[in-house]
Amino acid sequence: SAPPAPPMHTELKKALQQEVLAAKSRWGGAIKLSKAPAGTPTAPLPIGVERTIARPASAEAFDVDDLRVRLLIDGPSASAECVRVEVSGDALPAQLQAAAAARVAELWGGILTKYSLAAPAAGGPFAIERVLAWCETKYTELLNLLPELVEGYDGVNEVGVTIRRYCLVDRAEGGEGGGGSSSEEEGEG
């Protein structure tokens, strides 16, 4: 069993609380918080901040109503080693969830590596609001991380005009694999 994490510095705890409050005030009910139960050796860590991002107008051609991005703080510092990301959504294949989480984690880790508590990123040392806002602006980019999972079709918009639409398909249905192009050759069956 892992030893308990050292406690989070009081100054850092306050900064994290301020960042969470700022995110709640900006996005309201789209933000959900989670933390480890009180009896857990690492409590209150991990702390999670999840935002449900509704499909923006820039992604209206996609059959993906929302993305859920969960930023998790596992350790007592605002560093890339102490954070992780989960991305989910009803229409997202597992491979795309993993790729999107890795892309957001790469961005978040880069921000945390560049700044410190003494000279924090705009918005605070954890950059929670900044990362969640970036996810909204890059919604379509996140959906297109694995182009082989994006399938186009002709659909009709709300005014009856034929338009190009896109859905995401799970190419791993034939079994667990490395996600290589061979999954398409497995046939229909």
Side-chain angles (χ1 to χ4, degrees):
S1 134
M8 189 178 278
H9 210 281
T10 304
E11 210 176 311
L12 198 57
K13 237 188 243 183
K14 285 180 184 171
L16 177 58
Q17 287 172 335
Q18 288 173 342
E19 286 191 54
V20 168
L21 287 172
K24 281 286 270 180
S25 105
R26 181 170 177 179
W27 293 299
I31 296 288
K32 288 193 177 115
L33 306 175
S34 62
K35 64 181 182 178
T40 310
T42 60
L45 302 172
I47 293 171
V49 180
E50 180 179 306
R51 177 178 176 210
T52 300
I53 304 168
R55 177 181 51 221
S58 61
E60 71 180 33
F62 278 87
D63 293 346
V64 177
D65 293 332
D66 59 48
L67 291 177
R68 290 182 296 280
V69 178
R70 188 169 184 218
L71 305 179
L72 292 144
I73 297 146
D74 289 328
S77 68
S79 66
E81 300 77 38
C82 292
V83 299
R84 63 190 159 95
V85 177
E86 295 173 357
V87 174
S88 61
D90 297 337
L92 295 185
Q95 316 90 292
L96 185 56
Q97 291 179 31
R103 177 67 186 99
V104 176
E106 177 187 342
L107 169 90
W108 195 18
I111 293 170
L112 295 178
T113 300
K114 186 175 178 183
Y115 298 97
S116 68
L117 184 59
F126 288 97
I128 287 171
E129 195 173 354
R130 181 175 173 181
V131 172
L132 293 175
W134 179 89
C135 292
E136 181 175 358
T137 63
K138 300 297 184 181
Y139 192 101
T140 303
E141 180 181 307
L142 292 171
L143 296 180
N144 279 303
L145 282 172
L146 299 175
E148 66 273 18
L149 302 183
V150 179
E151 205 165 87
Y153 68 95
D154 290 331
V156 178
N157 69 9
E158 58 279 345
V159 292
V161 176
T162 300
I163 58 166
R164 195 75 175 144
R165 294 203 49 82
Y166 302 93
C167 64
L168 299 170
V169 293
D170 191 344
R171 300 270 187 226
E173 293 163 351
E176 304 281 333
S181 60
S182 64
S183 62
E184 290 182 335
E185 298 166 7
E186 289 174 13
E188 300 139 26

